[in-house]
Amino acid sequence: MYRTYKYLLRPYTEQVKSLDFLLWQSRLVYNAALQQRINTYKETGKGVGYGAQWSHFRNVRHDNPDTLGKLNASSLQHLLRRLDKSFAGFFRRLKIGEKPGFPRYKGSSRFNSLEYTYNDGCKLRQDEKGRKSFYVQNVGEMRMCYHRAIPTDAEIKHIVLKRVGERWYVCLMLKLPDTGIHQVQTDQQIGIDVGLKNLAALSTGELIENPHWLRESLAKLRRLQRHASRQVKGSNHQRKTYHQIARLHEHVANQRADFLHKISNRLIAGNDLIAIENLSPRFMNRNRHLSLSSHDAGFGLFRQMLEYKAESAGIQVIAVNASNTTQACSECGSIVPKGLSVRVHACPNCGLVLDRDINAARNILTMALLPPLGRSGQAVTWAVAPCVA
Ligand SMILES: [Zn+2]
């Protein structure tokens, strides 16, 4: 079982300079490697693989000890693999008929992380008082907010140093042994319908409201952006405003994650089976207004949290095809057509009156409990023929 633990670093000014330098060198290599792939293809009609690029840049690194040489060798390998992956993804998507974007050159604002193999140019250290710090080669020992203990039986596989705004974090990828100890069975099952009006509707009848922090912060954000656009380009004042904007974005992301953690923990603790809709992000992002809301509500993050926490707790998360979950009656199965603005499900067949999202959540749970064939959506035939209201 793999988990990522993220810690805030507190580097000194000199250390931040060193980190920025490493990031800058990495970005130059990334762009140069991309250039190399493009040029080689143009000249020879053949691609360059990871292996060839590694031997090329390994030599460049040896010849330039003061610039690229400062970058750890395994970090350089991770970097070239990252490019390799983006090409692999590009060709894979091309093959299945999608329209992927070609891998891009990275500007300084789009390149924010360094990868290391643990124990190779980086290490978690502890002083005699038990304080933890994080050592990185050519940066030094950085203070670290060790807010969460790493389990003693965990193995640190690799690490990512990440710049968010003007802060630095270290993400430790841990391999944890599966203890086989899971939470006590509750015999409860729950269906969840994620929505825009409410973050989630539960089959138990509970509605979890969408806090819409981002929307509130957006007004503030827009004000700041307008302010920045009127400031002298490249001035210190403008730089400060951009800093404020970045901090605000980070703050909102933290609030959102915190809220979703609390809800997902509660849902996992109280149930043995969780049924959710299988929403495609592409569908949600197609509509500009919808995509803002879905981003705001953090659907993808919510599902991720449910899935990995379920794995730890030893419970099941089943994603069902969402077709008909809104229209069908969760009591008798009649199809009750309703537009987007109709918030209440009122069944003319059995007389059930329910919030439309809760009705959908109940349907999602029903579908998850059907034999596996039913989960794909095609095999589900509702008991009663559609009734026309
Ligand atoms: Zn009904």
Side-chain angles (χ1 to χ4, degrees):
M1 193 162 54
Y2 288 89
R3 289 288 174 272
T4 304
Y5 284 19
K6 181 178 169 189
Y7 301 91
L8 179 67
L9 293 173
R10 292 220 166 277
Y12 296 113
T13 316
E14 281 305 309
Q15 292 174 329
V16 171
K17 276 185 193 159
S18 306
L19 285 168
D20 284 336
F21 181 78
L22 291 181
L23 203 57
W24 178 45
Q25 289 301 323
S26 301
R27 187 167 67 84
L28 293 185
V29 172
Y30 187 90
N31 288 340
L34 175 57
Q35 182 76 55
Q36 192 187 39
R37 283 186 180 236
I38 294 169
N39 288 352
T40 314
Y41 183 76
K42 271 185 191 158
E43 284 160 21
T44 65
K46 280 182 191 149
V48 201
Y50 160 76
Q53 290 207 306
W54 163 233
S55 47
H56 172 79
F57 283 99
R58 185 180 48 196
N59 294 338
V60 178
R61 180 171 171 272
H62 271 288
D63 299 341
N64 298 281
D66 292 332
T67 51
L68 185 51
K70 299 272 185 209
L71 196 66
N72 176 277
S74 76
S75 183
L76 181 58
Q77 289 176 332
H78 281 297
L79 186 64
L80 294 172
R81 279 204 199 98
R82 204 196 297 183
L83 180 67
D84 197 51
K85 253 187 231 166
S86 69
F87 267 92
F90 171 74
F91 288 120
R92 179 184 53 77
R93 291 186 58 194
L94 210 59
K95 217 173 181 177
I96 56 172
E98 289 179 20
K99 283 184 188 164
F102 193 77
R104 292 192 216 183
Y105 292 105
K106 304 265 188 186
S108 58
S109 60
R110 288 185 181 273
F111 198 92
N112 292 306
S113 61
L114 296 162
E115 267 178 85
Y116 285 83
T117 301
Y118 187 67
N119 254 341
D120 189 347
C122 67
K123 195 165 174 55
L124 189 65
R125 286 185 181 163
Q126 187 171 325
D127 67 5
E128 63 282 359
K129 284 182 181 161
R131 282 177 302 216
K132 301 275 187 191
S133 60
F134 199 79
Y135 167 81
V136 176
Q137 184 185 352
N138 290 322
V139 175
E141 214 166 279
M142 287 178 280
R143 292 170 298 167
M144 163 184 201
C145 297
Y146 192 69
H147 68 283
R148 181 184 195 187
I150 296 170
T152 45
D153 47 3
E155 190 189 339
I156 306 177
K157 300 300 268 189
H158 85 278
I159 72 121
V160 175
L161 292 170
K162 203 169 166 187
R163 187 178 65 184
V164 180
E166 303 206 343
R167 292 176 193 239
W168 280 88
Y169 292 90
V170 59
C171 302
L172 307 175
M173 317 286 169
L174 306 175
K175 189 182 180 197
L176 298 165
D178 190 3
T179 52
I181 303 165
H182 295 314
Q183 73 179 31
V184 185
Q185 297 255 310
T186 54
D187 286 328
Q188 298 289 314
Q189 296 146 342
I190 202 162
I192 307 173
D193 178 64
V194 287
L196 298 179
K197 191 153 181 303
N198 298 297
L199 173 71
L202 309 181
S203 56
T204 51
E206 192 190 339
L207 290 170
I208 297 170
E209 258 184 59
N210 199 344
H212 282 286
W213 290 303
L214 188 59
R215 254 180 228 286
E216 277 168 32
S217 301
L218 270 179
K220 201 175 166 188
L221 208 56
R222 255 183 238 120
R223 207 163 53 240
L224 280 173
Q225 268 156 352
R226 201 161 50 226
H227 186 55
S229 73
R230 286 170 187 166
Q231 283 171 315
V232 180
K233 226 176 183 179
S235 66
N236 274 339
H237 283 293
Q238 196 187 41
R239 196 175 48 79
K240 273 179 196 158
T241 312
Y242 280 133
H243 185 195
Q244 275 179 299
I245 292 171
R247 284 296 295 273
L248 188 57
H249 271 298
E250 197 189 348
H251 177 65
V252 171
N254 288 344
Q255 281 182 312
R256 179 163 56 215
D258 176 63
F259 183 69
L260 294 177
H261 271 304
K262 282 169 184 161
I263 294 176
S264 56
N265 282 348
R266 177 161 71 87
L267 291 173
I268 295 279
N271 298 284
D272 293 339
L273 182 143
I274 292 176
I276 50 173
E277 262 176 302
N278 198 0
L279 285 177
S280 82
R282 210 162 299 149
F283 161 76
M284 292 191 298
N285 292 333
R286 206 164 40 198
N287 180 308
R288 197 167 63 88
H289 299 285
L290 209 64
S291 73
L292 177 63
S293 301
S294 71
H295 182 63
D296 194 358
F299 288 163
L301 189 62
F302 187 47
R303 181 168 168 185
Q304 249 177 17
M305 283 180 182
L306 283 176
E307 283 174 346
Y308 86 77
K309 287 176 186 182
E311 190 196 345
S312 300
I315 73 164
Q316 237 187 328
V317 173
I318 296 174
V320 301
N321 191 316
S323 63
N324 260 350
T325 49
T326 314
Q327 312 296 341
C329 173
S330 57
E331 192 68 38
C332 66
S334 312
I335 300 290
V336 187
K338 43 178 123 36
L340 272 172
S341 60
V342 184
R343 300 303 313 165
V344 179
H345 167 83
C347 178
N349 193 42
C350 69
L352 178 75
V353 178
L354 207 57
D355 181 275
R356 76 180 265 148
D357 293 337
I358 291 172
N359 178 57
R362 286 170 49 146
N363 280 327
I364 289 166
L365 180 59
T366 311
M367 284 169 84
L369 295 174
L370 287 172
L373 190 64
R375 278 177 215 155
S376 66
Q378 283 100 32
V380 178
T381 44
W382 298 97
V384 186
C387 68
V388 183

